[in-house]
Amino acid sequence: LLTKSGRVSVSSQLMMGLVQVLSETHTVCSQKWVDRIAELDAAYRVALEQDTNMDPAERGRLQRVHQQFLIKGLKWSNDLGDTRYGALGMHSVLADHCWSMSCDEAVIGSEAERVSAAASQENDEEEEEDLEVELRYDAVTHY
């Protein structure tokens, strides 16, 4: 589905269903399954990158959905695998995906958006400080 048609949004739903089925049927986590999930991850990333007509907001959403798939897969490998804290291959796939998300402007926003968000956060903190001082003043004068 991914390699032939590039249906990324449909694939993300199917992959979430796969992890759910693996967990509910108590399928033991083996290296074979970890390799399969790694192959799905690679195909998903290629299909996502090849779709140049996709809206950046949708691309960011699909990357976050894929991250949830990988996190649930890691939990499955922890619960039903023989390695505590999950299979190393699952950690590696999740880490690679998180790294690629951290470099993608569709997920983290542009530099200008990050600067304006940081400035508004600083203004909010200053307003909270002012409110706290006003509340103390009101408490003192009321008493």
Side-chain angles (χ1 to χ4, degrees), residues 2-3 6 8 15 37-50 66:
L2 277 168
T3 56
V8 180
M15 289 190 297
I37 290 175
E39 288 175 25
L40 282 173
D41 173 66
Y44 187 86
R45 286 196 211 182
V46 168
L48 191 62
E49 289 174 9
Q50 288 179 348
H66 188 62

Side-chain angles (χ1 to χ4, degrees), residues 11-27 33 36-37 40 65-80 90:
S11 308
S12 63
Q13 294 170 357
L14 290 173
M15 289 190 297
M16 291 294 275
L18 171 67
V19 172
Q20 183 179 2
V21 167
L22 290 173
S23 297
E24 289 178 0
T25 58
H26 298 287
T27 303
W33 273 110
R36 287 176 179 168
I37 290 175
L40 282 173
V65 168
H66 188 62
Q67 181 182 16
Q68 291 302 314
F69 158 71
L70 294 173
I71 289 170
K72 288 182 181 190
L74 180 61
K75 183 182 181 319
W76 161 76
S77 72
N78 177 42
D79 295 344
L80 297 169
M90 293 299 297

Side-chain angles (χ1 to χ4, degrees), residues 76-93:
W76 161 76
S77 72
N78 177 42
D79 295 344
L80 297 169
D82 56 356
T83 305
R84 189 173 185 184
Y85 304 119
L88 183 60
M90 293 299 297
H91 279 281
S92 177
V93 169

Side-chain angles (χ1 to χ4, degrees), residues 65-128:
V65 168
H66 188 62
Q67 181 182 16
Q68 291 302 314
F69 158 71
L70 294 173
I71 289 170
K72 288 182 181 190
L74 180 61
K75 183 182 181 319
W76 161 76
S77 72
N78 177 42
D79 295 344
L80 297 169
D82 56 356
T83 305
R84 189 173 185 184
Y85 304 119
L88 183 60
M90 293 299 297
H91 279 281
S92 177
V93 169
L94 178 59
D96 289 342
H97 182 70
C98 289
W99 181 261
S100 68
M101 281 179 64
S102 71
C103 300
D104 191 352
E105 285 191 4
V107 177
I108 62 171
S110 67
E111 183 68 29
E113 290 172 347
R114 290 193 302 266
V115 168
S116 67
S120 68
Q121 184 178 9
E122 288 175 8
N123 290 340
D124 291 344
E125 289 173 0
E126 289 175 7
E127 289 174 7
E128 287 176 9

